[in-house]
Amino acid sequence: MVHWTAEEKQLIASVWGKVSVEECGAEALARLLIVYPWTQRFFSDFGNLSSPTAIIGNPKVRAHGKKVLTSFGDAIKNLENLKVTYSKLSELHCDKLHVDPENFRLLGDILIIVLAAHFTKDFTPACQATWQKLVGVVAHALAHKYH
Amino acid sequence: MLTGEDKKLIQQVWGKLGGAEEEVGAEALWRMFHSYPPTKTYFPHFDLSQGSDQIRGHGKKVVAALGNAIKNLDNLSQALSELSNLHAYNLRVDPPRFSLQFLSQCLQVVLATRLGKEYTPEVHSAVDKFMSAVAAVLAEKYR
């Protein structure tokens, strides 16, 4: 079980409270598809992903980004119980979606960069450290049911 | 790997640092030590407290090396050859892929905090590719 200090919980909550799940989610997913183009393999039915502009403007990317980050919000509400919270999602990503868990780490790192660009100097080293821990733990929980 | 457009973007981004390179290097290292404590194992001889002279000095070195690489994007292997030897035979940092991945992430976070919206997806992609290329060169001689 992962232990979260009061300070870490505070840093998570204060950042999350100021995040637009829709904007941030869309941006993070778009950047994943742009910076690591091979991840497009999971989204062949999303239509036009031919350029950064196309990806950023793609409504399916935006919608899916929002979905992903909303789910991330569930993790934040259940920090003490992540493996259980993500049990079904983990099975889904393994059995139906066939996503290599390495991609969760990539998305996590990208989310951090999106937050950094958004919050600029308020995204302090302490903030980053807490969020790197969070995305790591989320990625781990999502990979937990893989077999 | 790096397209002409990537190279242009990288040079532009570096140009925007306007003399703050040393701070950027120190901050990237500090964030790396803070977010990824195992990276500290390579610096047992350093004072790793925030703002230490050694972190500043080393950050400056790292950024100078990256700056040099950016001036020689068409020939990274040669530009980083000495550093490649150093990492492979002396420093033997665990596969650069891992440590540079952490340094790459932290450097990008520093750039993003300084550039905000200007750290566009295209710039992000170019810098990520560049750091990847640097890591590959530094790992060339490991075995």
Side-chain angles (χ1 to χ4, degrees):
Chain A
M1 243 233 356
V2 180
H3 175 68
W4 300 93
T5 65
E7 189 196 351
E8 284 170 337
K9 290 185 191 179
Q10 214 278 311
L11 285 171
I12 292 170
S14 75
V15 165
W16 193 246
K18 300 186 195 114
V19 158
S20 154
V21 166
E22 185 168 346
E23 283 308 314
C24 206
E27 171 123 20
L29 187 63
R31 283 182 186 245
L32 181 75
L33 299 172
I34 293 167
V35 178
Y36 306 115
W38 55 88
T39 57
Q40 292 171 24
R41 70 192 292 277
F42 301 111
F43 302 100
S44 49
D45 60 341
F46 267 31
N48 187 3
L49 298 177
S50 59
S51 69
T53 311
I55 291 171
I56 292 165
N58 186 313
K60 284 190 174 174
V61 171
R62 292 192 69 83
H64 197 71
K66 178 180 176 184
K67 196 177 185 185
V68 167
L69 210 64
T70 302
S71 169
F72 201 83
D74 289 338
I76 291 179
K77 286 195 209 88
N78 290 282
L79 286 178
E80 314 295 340
N81 208 0
L82 265 178
K83 289 205 175 95
V84 171
T85 305
Y86 271 7
S87 178
K88 287 269 170 303
L89 257 184
S90 182
E91 285 170 4
L92 178 76
H93 281 75
C94 174
D95 300 329
K96 294 264 156 41
L97 305 177
H98 310 293
V99 175
D100 181 346
E102 174 65 9
N103 292 288
F104 307 148
R105 188 189 65 72
L106 292 181
L107 183 60
D109 277 355
I110 291 218
L111 176 62
I112 301 245
I113 290 178
V114 168
L115 293 175
H118 185 76
F119 289 99
T120 62
K121 57 184 181 338
D122 289 340
F123 198 64
T124 60
C127 223
Q128 179 189 354
T130 299
W131 275 78
Q132 295 283 175
K133 178 178 170 180
L134 176 61
V135 301
V137 162
V138 166
H140 186 74
L142 262 181
H144 193 243
K145 284 305 190 71
Y146 272 60
H147 57 95
Chain B
M1 245 185 131
L2 289 171
T3 64
E5 184 62 20
D6 288 331
K7 292 178 186 176
K8 216 176 69 181
L9 287 173
I10 292 162
Q11 281 157 353
Q12 268 172 21
V13 149
W14 212 249
K16 288 197 176 123
L17 294 182
E21 285 88 348
E22 198 176 311
E23 276 161 50
V24 165
E27 188 180 338
L29 282 180
W30 173 252
R31 283 180 182 265
M32 187 183 76
F33 294 141
H34 211 30
S35 282
Y36 307 106
T39 55
K40 293 192 284 190
T41 60
Y42 293 99
F43 300 91
H45 53 301
F46 266 32
D47 165 14
L48 291 176
S49 56
Q50 190 165 21
S52 90
D53 286 336
Q54 285 177 308
I55 295 185
R56 288 197 74 82
H58 197 69
K60 183 177 178 183
K61 247 194 221 175
V62 168
V63 160
L66 289 175
N68 183 43
I70 288 172
K71 288 200 198 81
N72 292 280
L73 288 172
D74 292 328
N75 201 354
L76 274 180
S77 235
Q78 191 169 48
L80 292 172
S81 176
E82 280 307 309
L83 269 181
S84 184
N85 288 336
L86 185 73
H87 281 74
Y89 305 128
N90 294 55
L91 302 177
R92 292 173 294 188
V93 171
D94 190 67
R97 191 169 65 83
F98 302 134
S99 299
L100 269 197
Q101 164 192 304
F102 299 144
L103 180 61
S104 170
Q105 173 72 356
C106 292
L107 177 68
Q108 291 200 59
V109 166
V110 173
L111 293 176
T113 58
R114 279 167 188 260
L115 297 173
K117 286 199 285 315
E118 284 180 349
Y119 202 69
T120 62
E122 289 87 339
V123 169
H124 177 169
S125 178
V127 173
D128 197 277
K129 284 166 81 173
F130 166 66
M131 290 302 284
S132 230
V134 167
V137 168
L138 289 184
E140 260 168 18
K141 296 165 191 169
Y142 265 58
R143 52 180 173 165

